Amino acid sequence: MYNDKADLEVWLRSLLFFVLYNLMGIVHSLLALLLAPWMDFAQRYRFVNLWSRATMWLLRRLNGIEIVVEGREHIPAGEAVVVMANHQSQWETFYLQLLVSPQATVLKRELLWVPFFGWGLALLKPIAIDRGRPVNAFKTILRIGRERLRAGISVVIYPEGTRQPPGRIGRFNGGGAKLACKAGVRVLPMVHDAGRCWPARSLLRRPGRIRLIIGAPIGCDDGDPERLNARVEQWIRETAVRRLGMGGEAPGPRSAAPERDPVESGEIV
């Protein structure tokens, strides 16, 4: 399904994507900043993520990247959760904003200093942390994360911390599970293989199919965040190997009826 070769056409389309999505981002971020004082959070969230929608549309039409989501029925309606997903591609930064809405993402504070992109991101109430001060970072996640969850805003955490190469799951930290237990909410686990089509730290956008699998929410029923973290990590690792072919093992059988992409179909508001 994936084209591992990058011929001249793929590179040219990748470069065109990079130029167009950055131009769209610059214009849209400036508009968002101008209009933000007259919008509430829900309106800002929808407006800022018009860029995310446009980026996903561009990926499909220009770069030939299809998105298949399995397990969307596991996303609880009207319930704020802690989303824990593997970290592999900048793609997840865009797509998860549309899939679980509204949400606040835990990110390194330096991202908010990036011109245009960071300015727009700051309007979405992210949880910005100083990774150079891990103790303070953890306290920030717990304090602001609980505030967001109480306000009905889900929190997205990438427990690996750093983007991993395609096919690899890194070491998990326990911040997301501890937040879920402290706040009394469930964890929504996810795993994807977007790095094959949109590699981290690369201009390349390979045509192919990105698969995102969503698991059933996992609660902190016994109040033990370490056990919760272990359960989430086990699900992500096993699903990555069994169903996405990561970790050097053969992929499991494909779903008989994969769900259509909600961004393309307009199902996500």
Side-chain angles (χ1 to χ4, degrees):
M1 182 57 65
Y2 293 94
N3 180 5
D4 292 330
K5 297 181 180 179
D7 56 22
L8 180 59
E9 181 182 357
V10 171
W11 276 109
L12 289 176
R13 287 177 177 270
S14 298
L15 180 60
L16 183 57
F17 171 87
F18 180 80
V19 172
L20 290 177
Y21 112 101
N22 275 289
L23 286 176
M24 290 190 304
I26 291 171
V27 173
H28 191 68
S29 296
L30 292 175
L31 283 174
L33 289 171
L34 288 172
L35 297 175
W38 291 275
M39 297 181 180
D40 59 25
F41 173 70
Q43 292 169 328
R44 289 202 310 271
Y45 191 94
R46 288 193 295 268
F47 187 83
V48 169
N49 275 297
L50 290 175
W51 181 37
S52 300
R53 286 180 176 279
T55 298
M56 296 299 102
W57 180 89
L58 199 60
L59 270 183
R60 183 178 181 88
R61 301 301 181 188
L62 179 62
N63 303 102
I65 296 176
E66 178 187 3
I67 300 169
V68 173
V69 180
E70 302 173 31
R72 200 181 308 121
E73 69 276 6
H74 293 312
I75 301 175
E79 176 187 345
V81 294
V82 174
V83 176
M84 290 176 62
N86 64 313
H87 206 22
Q88 196 176 100
S89 168
Q90 195 177 351
W91 170 85
E92 68 232 9
T93 307
F94 292 97
Y95 196 79
L96 296 193
Q97 290 277 354
L98 301 173
L99 193 64
V100 179
S101 174
Q103 64 163 257
T105 304
V106 176
L107 47 80
K108 56 185 180 182
R109 62 179 183 175
E110 290 82 3
L111 287 178
L112 301 182
W113 306 340
V114 177
F116 306 109
F117 172 77
W119 304 341
L121 191 60
L123 298 174
L124 303 183
K125 295 186 178 181
I127 303 173
I129 61 172
D130 182 357
R131 292 176 62 180
R133 305 175 65 187
V135 174
N136 286 344
F138 178 66
K139 291 179 180 179
T140 299
I141 291 173
L142 289 184
R143 177 175 56 84
I144 301 181
R146 280 187 286 186
E147 291 176 3
R148 299 288 187 266
L149 290 164
R150 282 197 296 265
I153 301 172
S154 294
V155 174
V156 176
I157 294 181
Y158 301 102
E160 295 161 292
T162 303
R163 288 189 174 93
Q164 303 296 317
R168 182 183 302 174
I169 300 292
R171 182 175 177 270
F172 274 39
N173 64 62
K178 289 178 181 177
L179 171 60
C181 289
K182 290 287 186 182
V185 302
R186 298 188 291 174
V187 169
L188 185 66
M190 300 185 184
V191 62
H192 65 83
D193 58 2
R196 293 174 174 176
C197 291
W198 185 334
R201 296 172 289 277
S202 173
L203 287 177
L204 190 61
R205 307 290 181 264
R206 289 191 178 96
R209 175 178 292 177
I210 293 174
R211 291 180 65 196
L212 171 69
I213 302 175
I214 305 168
I218 304 174
C220 187
D221 301 327
D222 57 5
D224 186 345
E226 291 186 6
R227 188 172 301 173
L228 175 61
N229 194 56
R231 290 177 64 192
V232 174
E233 181 174 359
Q234 180 181 11
W235 182 90
I236 288 178
R237 290 187 182 278
E238 290 182 353
T239 304
V241 171
R242 216 168 12 91
R243 301 183 61 184
L244 297 180
M246 295 167 62
E249 295 188 27
R254 297 177 60 85
S255 171
E259 301 180 44
R260 58 180 176 164
D261 173 19
V263 177
E264 286 294 318
S265 62
E267 294 170 3
I268 291 183
V269 177

